[in-house]
């Protein structure tokens, strides 16, 4: 389908992308991700949504890749922030650091939140 910026997004169905695989618009097919150095689409909307958060959960990051790392700064002052990453996090913010991989840390956090442990 087409998006506001006229990109072309399609399901690849797990097939490998190769140089020379073009979309109907003639551009090289690529994964639907943001590479380092590229503009993050809808960043204004992400900042707005972050400012409305009741709980802010960051998964798998050192919080040093901007502008996305800046989203945590838009969370309301009374919003609990949880960082899930097994590695040390280089962030100087008030957050609960859950030192686990996403596959175990996210379900553990959800369980604790549902049981009002945090």
């Amino acid at each position: 389908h087409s998006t506001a910026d006229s990109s072309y997004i399609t399901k690849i169905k797990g097939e490998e992308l190769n140089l020379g695989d073009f979309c109907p618009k003639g551009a090289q097919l690529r994964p639907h991700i943001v590479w380092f150095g590229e503009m993050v689409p809808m960043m204004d909307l992400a900042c707005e949504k972050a400012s409305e958060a009741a709980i802010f959960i960051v998964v798998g990051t050192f919080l040093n890749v901007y502008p996305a790392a800046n989203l945590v700064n838009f969370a309301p002052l009374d919003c609990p922030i949880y960082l899930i990453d097994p590695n040390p996090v280089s962030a100087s913010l008030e957050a609960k650091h859950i030192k686990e991989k996403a596959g175990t840390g996210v379900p553990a956090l959800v369980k604790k939140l549902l049981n009002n442990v945090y």
Side-chain angles (χ1 to χ4, degrees), residues 55 82 96-100 104-118:
I55 298 172
Y82 301 93
K96 170 76 174 161
H97 184 188
I98 300 165
K99 296 176 184 172
E100 296 185 40
T104 55
V106 171
L109 175 59
V110 169
K111 185 176 180 180
K112 288 180 179 187
L113 290 173
L114 289 174
N115 291 320
N116 293 315
V117 173
Y118 282 127

Side-chain angles (χ1 to χ4, degrees), residues 26-93:
Q28 171 68 46
L29 285 175
R30 54 171 275 174
H32 188 53
I33 61 172
V34 177
W35 298 106
F36 287 105
E38 290 183 328
M39 293 296 297
V40 177
M42 300 174 59
M43 195 63 188
D44 290 339
L45 179 60
C47 293
E48 178 184 325
K49 294 297 181 185
S51 72
E52 299 168 358
I55 298 172
F56 200 99
I57 303 170
V58 180
V59 182
T61 181
F62 294 106
L63 288 175
N64 60 3
V65 178
Y66 288 84
N70 195 42
L71 287 174
V72 72
N73 296 316
F74 285 87
L77 292 176
D78 61 344
C79 178
I81 300 171
Y82 301 93
L83 300 170
I84 301 172
D85 193 300
N87 302 301
V89 177
S90 63
S92 59
L93 61 106

